[in-house]
Amino acid sequence: MDSRTEKPFVSLAHTSLEQFAADVRYYLSLTPRQLPSRYFYDDLGSALFEAICRLPWYTITRAETRLLAAHGDDVFRRLPSLTHVVELGPGNGEKLRTLLEAASRRQKPMDVHLVDVSPSALAIAAQTIGSVGDVRVIMHQATYDAGLREALTQRTGRTLVAFLGSNIGNFDPPGASAFLQNIRASVKNGDAVLLGVDLVKSTERLLVAYDDPLRITAAFNRNLLLRMNRDLGASIDLDEFLHRAVWNAEQRRVEMHLVARSAQTIEIPRAHVEEHLQAGETIWTESSYKYVPAQIDDLLESCRFNPTAQWIDRDDGFALTIAEAF
Ligand code: AVJ
């Protein structure tokens, strides 16, 4: 697959309505048709994602939280005199809170920079992190690139950049490399990244994580259609689209699609879109790449980060890796 046709979940431009309209118009016209997964996360989508994290079949959040709680202290022990933590895409902030609370040996006080494009997400995360003692929370309502750069200008000492929740899985391999190289270019030798990555596991487990029996993930996926109806004046019949999750073994990714149940025309006035879909035609809405541990090391090394510790949750197949910039 040409990486140009992959959806840039995290190369976040601002999420204005004009940008949404322009992206919808562009990505829906591609073959195969696509929509960028970053548009999942409006207020309802973020709430649905939080529900997904509590589903018994979606193990990423719990596995990562267990690793952070068990090894958080070790993370800080391995990075002496760390003064700054930057988290890209903190979600509700609970993962970072777990890490900070597990760390009895960390420098106090510590500066915590939260980078997210969503002001409401930032506010929630800041509140969560603010409840931890001896931290100063600085919010950056910005794209990852811009926010990281802004955070690093305020850097006075050793910095850890956290990218958790297997968010890196939304990048195709060249995108993941480019993302880490960007981080590497912004940090200094001895700074570090903390990366949470979901691992390849049985097809059965991968599929049920993205096509759950409560159908919350289906709702999360279809919410993109609702969002186009509400924000762009479309009148798409949500019942006319099925949720589908596919394990692409060759590319090592779970794909989510919206499948048209019948031939239909989608009209999206505020995006100047009129597209004719055949029955069975799909809109590809997300890729979640899964890794094997050695691949994580290779990726980091190729981006001039030296992996110094990796903890793996065998039950749920999840890896937490620290790597130091060299
Ligand atoms: C937040 C991107 C890591 O890919 O697992 C959850 C989003 N999509 N269920 C993932 C998601 C469907 C999630 N990430």
Side-chain angles (χ1 to χ4, degrees):
M1 169 74 48
D2 177 354
S3 71
R4 210 169 31 79
T5 64
E6 301 263 333
K7 300 166 301 307
F9 163 69
V10 215
S11 67
L12 291 167
H14 57 105
T15 43
S16 70
L17 217 51
E18 294 74 48
Q19 188 63 53
F20 182 36
D23 282 339
V24 163
R25 180 176 163 78
Y26 171 72
Y27 285 96
L28 273 185
S29 74
L30 295 179
T31 309
R33 298 183 195 279
Q34 303 178 34
L35 286 170
S37 55
R38 65 190 173 96
Y39 291 112
F40 283 139
Y41 304 93
D42 62 355
D43 280 351
L44 176 56
S46 298
L48 288 169
F49 177 65
E50 290 221 3
I52 287 171
C53 293
R54 290 169 170 76
L55 294 173
W57 309 279
Y58 189 83
T59 54
I60 288 181
T61 319
R62 283 182 302 276
E64 187 172 54
T65 301
R66 286 197 298 274
L67 290 173
L68 290 168
H71 305 291
D73 207 31
D74 222 8
V75 169
F76 288 88
R77 191 176 55 75
R78 284 163 188 274
L79 299 169
S81 64
L82 193 71
T83 53
H84 296 252
V85 176
V86 183
E87 185 175 12
L88 305 176
N92 60 18
E94 273 164 27
K95 293 177 301 242
L96 187 56
R97 177 170 67 184
T98 302
L99 174 70
L100 293 169
E101 283 180 342
S104 59
R105 289 174 247 213
R106 71 180 159 83
Q107 196 100 0
K108 292 174 181 176
M110 174 168 266
D111 278 358
V112 173
H113 296 262
L114 306 175
V115 179
D116 206 296
V117 285
S118 155
S120 56
L122 269 184
I124 293 169
Q127 202 167 34
T128 306
I129 306 298
S131 72
V132 181
D134 290 310
V135 297
R136 194 164 72 111
V137 181
I138 303 106
M139 293 188 266
H140 304 273
Q141 199 232 313
T143 62
Y144 291 161
D145 270 2
L148 179 61
R149 231 167 290 137
E150 203 176 275
L152 290 171
T153 59
Q154 299 167 28
R155 163 194 198 290
T156 52
R158 195 176 200 189
T159 301
L160 173 69
V161 179
F163 196 49
L164 300 174
S166 206
N167 283 334
I168 197 150
N170 277 154
F171 290 113
D172 64 341
S177 271
F179 174 72
L180 285 169
Q181 276 163 16
N182 238 320
I183 295 177
R184 179 61 190 93
S186 312
V187 300
K188 296 197 169 137
N189 286 355
D191 286 344
V193 290
L194 180 67
L195 202 59
V197 181
D198 200 25
L199 301 177
V200 174
K201 57 207 76 174
S202 75
T203 307
E204 199 185 345
R205 291 196 63 189
L206 286 168
L207 289 181
V208 79
Y210 291 85
D211 192 5
D212 66 89
L214 274 181
R215 309 284 180 251
I216 307 293
T217 310
F220 177 70
N221 197 9
R222 279 208 196 87
N223 179 50
L224 270 178
L225 302 171
L226 176 62
R227 195 171 177 185
M228 292 193 289
N229 284 351
R230 192 191 49 220
D231 297 347
L232 302 176
S235 48
I236 300 163
D237 183 349
L238 271 55
D239 283 333
E240 284 299 314
F241 284 87
L242 298 174
H243 166 70
R244 179 182 291 164
V246 180
W247 169 240
N248 183 330
E250 204 172 299
Q251 302 288 335
R252 289 207 185 117
R253 68 184 182 215
V254 177
E255 300 169 3
M256 296 208 309
H257 300 267
L258 290 162
V259 187
R261 296 176 61 178
S262 58
Q264 57 198 282
T265 299
I266 305 186
E267 279 177 81
I268 312 174
R270 273 170 238 147
H272 309 289
V273 166
E274 191 185 304
E275 292 283 352
H276 306 282
L277 271 67
Q278 293 166 359
E281 211 179 315
T282 70
I283 304 171
W284 178 18
T285 53
E286 187 179 47
S287 293
S288 294
Y289 283 82
K290 305 301 172 184
Y291 287 72
V292 296
Q295 227 186 335
I296 301 169
D297 290 344
D298 291 348
L299 172 65
L300 285 162
E301 269 161 25
S302 71
C303 299
R304 290 203 299 130
F305 283 106
N306 177 31
T308 52
Q310 184 170 71
W311 297 280
I312 291 179
D313 185 291
R314 301 271 164 212
D315 292 342
D316 288 324
F318 192 91
L320 187 67
T321 309
I322 317 178
E324 284 181 38
F326 68 87

